[in-house]
């Protein structure tokens, strides 16, 4: 068994460890009381920082050729099922494309819709060589459409200075490429003005 001095020293040391913020005088003052309330200081837990997953840069995507379609895949027939899926997607989006559907409502839906799989035709262009190109849109970028034609040729058609027509279930819509220079993801959130001057 410990002597009184050892016990006193132990209690003093124990209280110092338990109450690190208290001064010696304050601890001695506490000892004169009958009850001692020990303080507890919880260590602050540092949350581990989440590492942000970095995507590829545009340069890396080009080097990896992520957006390039292999020559053996550049066949119109391969993408016809994609066009059928697109037509069904538009019918669902426009609630069936009924004959009594409001044209401006359908037009508004098409402007924000995903056009991958749509068959489009260049109807007007400042560059005559583009006029008449018809095919399925395989890729849409901010400034260009990549279109596969019935002749199995992949055409890169700029949006600027071109007018595209798009037909589905007898409804024909015109896309003015100069007003359409957005990525597909950005276009879905954009508010298009129904009125205004339209030119090539």
């Amino acid at each position: 068994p410990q002597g009184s001095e050892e016990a006193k020293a132990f209690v003093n040391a124990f209280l110092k460890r338990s109450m690190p913020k208290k001064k010696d005088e304050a601890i001695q003052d506490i000892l004169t009381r009958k009850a001692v309330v020990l303080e507890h200081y919880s260590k602050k837990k540092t949350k581990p920082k989440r590492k942000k997953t970095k995507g590829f840069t545009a340069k890396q995507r080009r080097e990896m050729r992520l957006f390039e379609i292999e020559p053996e895949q550049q066949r119109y027939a391969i993408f016809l099922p994609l066009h059928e899926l697109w037509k069904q997607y538009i019918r669902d989006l426009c609630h069936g494309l009924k004959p009594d559907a409001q044209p401006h409502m359908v037009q508004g839906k098409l402007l924000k819709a995903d056009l991958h799989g749509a068959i489009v035709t260049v109807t007007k262009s400042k560059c005559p060589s583009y006029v008449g190109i018809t095919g399925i849109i395989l890729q849409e970028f901010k400034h260009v459409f990549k279109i596969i034609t019935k002749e199995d040729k992949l055409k890169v058609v700029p949006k600027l200075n071109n007018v595209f027509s798009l037909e589905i279930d007898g409804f024909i819509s015109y896309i003015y490429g100069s007003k359409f220079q957005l990525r597909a993801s950005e276009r879905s959130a954009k508010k298009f003005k129904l009125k205004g001057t339209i030119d090539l």
Side-chain angles (χ1 to χ4, degrees):
Q2 291 180 336
S4 61
E5 290 300 321
E6 290 174 340
K8 190 177 178 181
F10 169 77
V11 171
N12 282 329
F14 176 75
L15 289 174
K16 276 189 177 182
R17 284 199 308 274
S18 300
M19 296 183 287
K21 292 186 178 180
K22 297 282 186 185
K23 293 182 179 179
D24 290 343
E25 296 82 9
I27 292 172
Q28 290 302 323
D29 183 54
I30 291 168
L31 279 172
T32 59
R33 299 173 190 171
K34 290 181 180 178
V36 177
V37 180
L38 301 178
E39 297 174 11
H40 175 69
Y41 297 97
S42 59
K43 291 182 180 178
K44 289 183 180 178
K45 291 182 180 179
T46 54
K47 290 182 180 179
K49 289 183 180 179
R50 290 184 182 178
K51 290 183 179 178
K52 291 183 180 178
T53 53
K54 289 185 178 179
F56 295 115
T57 63
K59 185 181 178 182
Q60 287 172 326
R61 287 196 291 266
R62 283 194 298 271
E63 288 172 352
M64 295 170 73
R65 301 173 67 189
L66 289 179
F67 295 124
E68 289 189 24
I69 300 168
E70 299 296 328
E72 61 270 15
Q73 299 294 323
Q74 295 177 16
R75 300 210 316 273
Y76 186 83
I78 290 177
F79 297 99
L80 277 174
L82 175 66
H83 174 60
E84 293 301 319
L85 283 172
W86 181 82
K87 285 200 293 186
Q88 191 55 51
Y89 154 67
I90 294 299
R91 288 176 189 133
D92 292 343
L93 188 69
C94 299
H95 309 295
L97 279 174
K98 296 172 185 175
D100 59 344
Q102 295 288 333
H104 67 273
M105 184 274 292
V106 178
Q107 178 76 17
K109 296 273 188 185
L110 284 172
L111 286 173
K112 295 188 176 189
D114 191 328
L115 296 179
H116 293 90
I119 292 179
V120 294
T121 302
V122 181
T123 53
K124 289 183 182 179
S125 177
K126 283 191 175 180
C127 180
S129 61
Y130 287 124
V131 177
I133 292 176
T134 303
I136 299 171
I137 294 177
L138 298 189
Q139 291 172 314
E140 180 188 354
F141 299 97
K142 187 173 182 178
H143 299 291
V144 298
F145 286 124
K146 279 190 178 182
I147 298 171
I148 187 78
T149 66
K150 288 182 179 179
E151 293 78 29
D152 297 337
K153 290 182 179 178
L154 187 66
K155 302 280 188 179
V156 179
V157 182
K159 293 178 181 180
L160 187 67
N161 299 327
N162 285 325
V163 179
F164 304 85
S165 67
L166 183 152
E167 188 271 333
I168 177 169
D169 294 347
F171 182 87
I172 298 173
S173 177
Y174 292 94
I175 296 169
Y176 287 80
S178 301
K179 311 289 182 185
F180 214 68
Q181 295 188 86
L182 296 162
R183 294 181 181 87
S185 57
E186 295 170 352
R187 197 177 71 242
S188 62
K190 181 177 171 61
K191 290 184 179 179
F192 289 91
K193 292 180 181 178
L194 295 177
K195 294 181 181 179
T197 56
I198 297 173
D199 55 4
L200 282 178

